[in-house]
Amino acid sequence: MALLQLKNLGKDFGRLVAVNRIDLTVEPGEIRGLIGPNGSGKTTIFNLITGFIPPSRGSVFFQGEDITDLPPHAVARRGLARTFQLTTLFKEMTALENVVMACHLHLRVGLWRQFWRTARTRRREKAVEFRAMELLEFMGMAERANELAGELPHGHQCALGISNALATNPKMILLDEPVGGMNPTETAQTMDRIRRLRDLGITVLLVEHDMKAVMSTCDRITCINFGNKIAEGTARDVCSSQDVIEAYLGGTSGVCSL
């Protein structure tokens, strides 16, 4: 059974058709890329999947359940997490405090219990902090655990955003430009960690403009343009699609070297 399935999914903003009847199936354990020129509808699709905006038509299924009308917190509760192109962090908190907060929001530890700080609560807090450090180490952020999130370089803020998403113990994670603002070394390290997510049993759907990173990491790639799916398949399939070449380069070959 497919882990994520979009059926005839569409979104209109007035007369603008932002997403036009998209069908997409992601299998468990897959790393799927979603690419397209700026303004093609990629982030809108993420918002539709995760309940941040309602669709104009079509349905979203996760683990066989129709989640089309669920709010974002209910979608996350079912194991579908996401990051954002514009990183959403508690910028006045440290990196570690950010991930601890994400863990608490997932566990829903009550404020009353926190106030009384029982021995059980203190043990739980210690376990949460240990888990948060594990996630920061996984993303190569351990040395920056005590730095304010708002003062981190953009690339490290992206890595912290992934750590926060992982704190919810997702079955699937949607990554919106996970290597944005990173240098080539940081990009290679981050894409390696994304590949390792599969070893943790996490399926990945990612939007990314770094074509080299996408082509070398994703099992399959879906390309959209003006809200329409124009190609889907392996990196070789997508690279050789004339529709993709025209969408990116106006008919000139070489899309994979972008």
Side-chain angles (χ1 to χ4, degrees):
M1 181 178 66
L3 186 63
L4 176 71
Q5 190 171 21
L6 313 183
K7 293 184 178 181
N8 199 39
L9 192 65
K11 180 63 181 179
D12 303 335
F13 294 103
R15 294 186 177 182
L16 172 66
V17 180
V19 176
N20 188 27
R21 302 187 183 280
I22 295 292
D23 292 318
L24 178 69
T25 300
V26 181
E27 301 295 334
E30 185 177 2
I31 300 177
R32 171 68 68 91
L34 181 62
I35 65 171
N38 287 330
S40 59
K42 304 182 297 297
T43 297
T44 299
I45 289 176
F46 269 25
N47 288 334
L48 291 169
I49 292 171
T50 51
F52 281 86
I53 58 175
S56 302
R57 60 197 152 271
S59 303
V60 179
F61 292 86
F62 185 64
Q63 300 187 108
E65 177 187 3
D66 189 341
I67 63 169
T68 309
D69 298 320
L70 294 181
H73 71 272
V75 173
R77 285 280 165 197
R78 282 157 175 77
L80 183 54
R82 70 169 292 182
T83 62
F84 293 84
Q85 185 177 11
L86 298 176
T87 308
T88 303
L89 302 171
F90 300 102
K91 295 191 176 182
E92 73 285 357
M93 295 183 178
T94 66
L96 178 60
E97 289 169 340
N98 264 265
V99 186
V100 167
M101 180 66 72
C103 290
H104 278 309
L105 290 174
H106 175 63
L107 294 171
R108 289 190 292 192
V109 176
L111 291 177
W112 188 253
R113 187 184 300 172
Q114 288 281 67
F115 175 78
W116 286 108
R117 290 186 58 81
T118 64
R120 181 180 179 184
T121 300
R122 288 194 295 272
R123 287 195 299 271
R124 191 171 194 175
E125 285 181 347
K126 211 165 192 62
V128 166
E129 187 170 324
F130 181 80
R131 173 60 175 161
M133 276 302 302
E134 281 187 327
L135 293 174
L136 288 173
E137 288 174 4
F138 180 81
M139 289 306 302
M141 290 284 295
E143 293 183 357
R144 294 182 177 266
N146 295 316
E147 295 184 29
L148 292 179
E151 296 179 0
L152 292 171
H154 180 71
H156 288 87
Q157 289 189 6
C158 290
L160 179 55
I162 297 176
S163 298
N164 286 346
L166 291 176
T168 66
N169 294 319
K171 297 180 179 69
M172 182 173 184
I173 186 169
L174 278 56
L175 303 177
D176 201 347
E177 297 196 25
V179 299
M182 295 185 183
N183 62 41
T185 299
E186 292 170 335
T187 294
Q189 291 171 343
T190 298
M191 297 311 291
D192 180 62
R193 292 183 182 104
I194 290 172
R195 284 187 286 269
R196 287 167 55 196
L197 292 177
R198 187 190 349 237
D199 300 332
L200 301 177
I202 301 173
T203 301
V204 177
L205 175 63
L206 67 89
V207 165
E208 182 51 60
H209 287 292
D210 187 323
M211 289 296 103
K212 183 178 179 181
V214 171
M215 298 297 171
S216 64
T217 302
C218 297
D219 303 307
R220 289 171 59 81
I221 299 164
T222 300
C223 183
I224 63 173
N225 193 28
F226 295 112
N228 295 285
K229 182 165 69 172
I230 61 173
E232 187 171 71
T234 64
R236 183 182 296 274
D237 295 333
V238 172
C239 282
S240 61
S241 167
Q242 189 61 35
D243 288 337
V244 174
I245 293 169
E246 290 179 358
Y248 272 97
L249 298 172
T252 304
S253 62
V255 66
C256 292
S257 61
L258 286 176

